[in-house]
Amino acid sequence: MSSSAPTGLTRAYLFTYNTLNLLTWGSCVVYVASLLPAAITNNKTPSIFNETFNPLLLTQSLAILEVVHSLIRLVRAPFVTTAMQVASRLLLVWGIMAPFGGEIVGSSSTQLGDYAYLGCVAAWGITEIIRYGFFAITLSGNSVPSWWTWLRYNTFYVLYPIGISSECTLIFKALGPAAEIDPLFRWALIAILAIYVPGSYVLYTHMIAQRRKVLRGKKRTD
């Protein structure tokens, strides 16, 4: 995240925050990628969840600060869209993966859940590496390379659908385990799935609008 013209301690804080997230997300993605070849070869993809979830949980939980930054206007990111995106991520890691991971992801009978988990890690991780790296470079006072800007405003076309479909898959697979805890929990997840369609559309179109705005401004300055 970045504001229009942060200075002093605010700039230093935002630089540190974005750099920390860049490093933590980079570590998560590299760690998962390092385990993937052996897991696929030995047909042990469920082991990836068991070995990587705790780092992912910690890394994704840092995103709650995104909402705080937007709320107190430390950055210009819209509060509603920021809160929607962070809430969906926290739902997945704390409300789905943490309580039901062993049933819907980390077991030999849930291969679809394993791939959905990998889809979340890939979509979230790559997106955040690009995003936080973009902001860290900007806040450092350096010019962002054109190829990084291209990644920042184009990769979401592919990564966002992968992330959303993976999230929906995990929520759907959690309906059964949730019902065993409380039928209302299951109905709450069903309601969330129903909200995902219009919510995803809002976020997706927001990103498209942001892309057009930034690239249009960039053309004017070139």
Side-chain angles (χ1 to χ4, degrees), residues 63-197:
I64 191 65
L65 290 174
E66 303 271 346
V67 181
V68 177
H69 295 165
S70 178
L71 181 62
I72 65 177
R73 305 310 300 161
L74 193 63
V75 299
R76 292 187 302 168
F79 174 74
V80 174
T81 52
T82 299
M84 285 174 61
Q85 189 168 25
V86 172
S88 67
R89 297 276 193 89
L90 293 180
L91 166 69
L92 263 294
V93 295
W94 283 104
I96 303 297
M97 296 179 187
F100 306 131
E103 299 176 68
I104 67 174
V105 181
S107 70
S108 58
S109 62
T110 58
Q111 193 172 52
L112 180 60
D114 298 331
Y115 288 126
Y117 173 73
L118 292 175
C120 286
V121 174
W124 296 352
I126 296 173
T127 296
E128 301 298 37
I129 288 170
I130 295 170
R131 186 168 69 96
Y132 286 119
F134 181 92
F135 291 138
I137 294 172
T138 300
L139 290 163
S140 72
N142 296 309
S143 298
V144 179
S146 58
W147 60 270
W148 199 298
T149 300
W150 186 91
L151 291 175
R152 170 80 175 95
Y153 293 104
N154 287 278
T155 52
F156 76 88
Y157 278 115
V158 175
L159 294 175
Y160 189 75
I162 292 175
I164 288 297
S165 58
S166 298
E167 292 172 25
C168 288
T169 297
L170 291 177
I171 295 174
F172 178 78
K173 290 184 68 64
L175 294 179
E180 295 178 5
I181 295 177
D182 190 323
L184 290 179
F185 191 3
R186 178 177 182 272
W187 282 109
L189 293 182
I190 291 175
I192 289 170
L193 280 175
I195 294 172
Y196 251 71
V197 175

